[in-house]
Amino acid sequence: MLSEFKAFIARGNVLDLAVAVIIGAAFGKIVTSLTEDIIMPVIGKIFGGLDFSSYFLVLGEVPANLQGSTDYAALKKAGVPLLGYGEFVTQAVNFLIIAFIIFLLVRAVNRVVPKAPEAAAEEAADVVLLREIRDELKKRNG
């Protein structure tokens, strides 16, 4: 079993996948920081608040010690049911940024890497045989 595991790990695509996951996690942190620390404060300022992720609706009872609190994290930790639409918008913008950057990367790679010429499709054996018969008949008659 250990030798099979070594063979599995040594395959190139597994190592490529591991590298991609690690780079993707680091890239995700960069995009999260870009979203939370740069983009969302600007959007929040435009829409009248500095912290867009703190927009939420309280859907249940708030404990007495948190009455009047606007701290989303504290209310969520206390188990108060919340509709955190600001956090959802933050995550949606985060996703759109990641998707757009990946689109730009794929587009750039497609422009740099030349396309491989498409291989001609092989003809069916019966078509090849019929052509050979046709050519032989032309030789005999012509």
Side-chain angles (χ1 to χ4, degrees):
M1 186 166 110
L2 185 59
S3 63
E4 287 180 44
F5 181 71
K6 284 181 185 178
F8 173 75
I9 292 298
R11 289 178 26 195
N13 55 355
V14 173
L15 294 175
D16 292 343
L17 180 61
V19 169
V21 167
I22 292 168
I23 290 173
F27 183 70
K29 289 180 182 180
I30 291 169
V31 172
T32 299
S33 176
L34 174 70
T35 303
E36 291 177 358
D37 300 331
I38 297 172
I39 294 173
M40 291 313 289
V42 172
I43 291 174
K45 184 71 170 173
I46 291 169
F47 288 104
L50 294 177
D51 185 12
F52 201 69
S53 66
S54 67
Y55 291 134
F56 60 90
L57 296 173
V58 179
L59 300 175
E61 295 292 321
V62 177
N65 61 336
L66 292 174
Q67 272 315 56
S69 175
T70 59
D71 186 2
Y72 179 76
L75 290 169
K76 192 171 183 178
K77 186 176 179 182
V80 178
L82 303 170
L83 181 67
Y85 63 90
E87 185 63 28
F88 175 77
V89 169
T90 301
Q91 295 305 322
V93 169
N94 197 356
F95 169 77
L96 289 174
I97 291 169
I98 291 173
F100 184 68
I101 291 172
I102 290 172
F103 165 74
L104 292 176
L105 288 172
V106 169
R107 186 173 174 217
V109 167
N110 286 340
R111 287 184 180 189
V112 171
V113 177
K115 291 184 181 179
E118 293 183 22
E122 288 189 32
E123 294 181 331
D126 56 347
V127 173
V128 173
L129 182 60
L130 287 171
R131 284 198 178 136
E132 289 174 0
I133 293 170
R134 179 197 65 197
D135 294 342
E136 188 62 34
L137 287 173
K138 282 183 180 179
K139 283 182 191 176
R140 288 184 186 179
N141 294 333

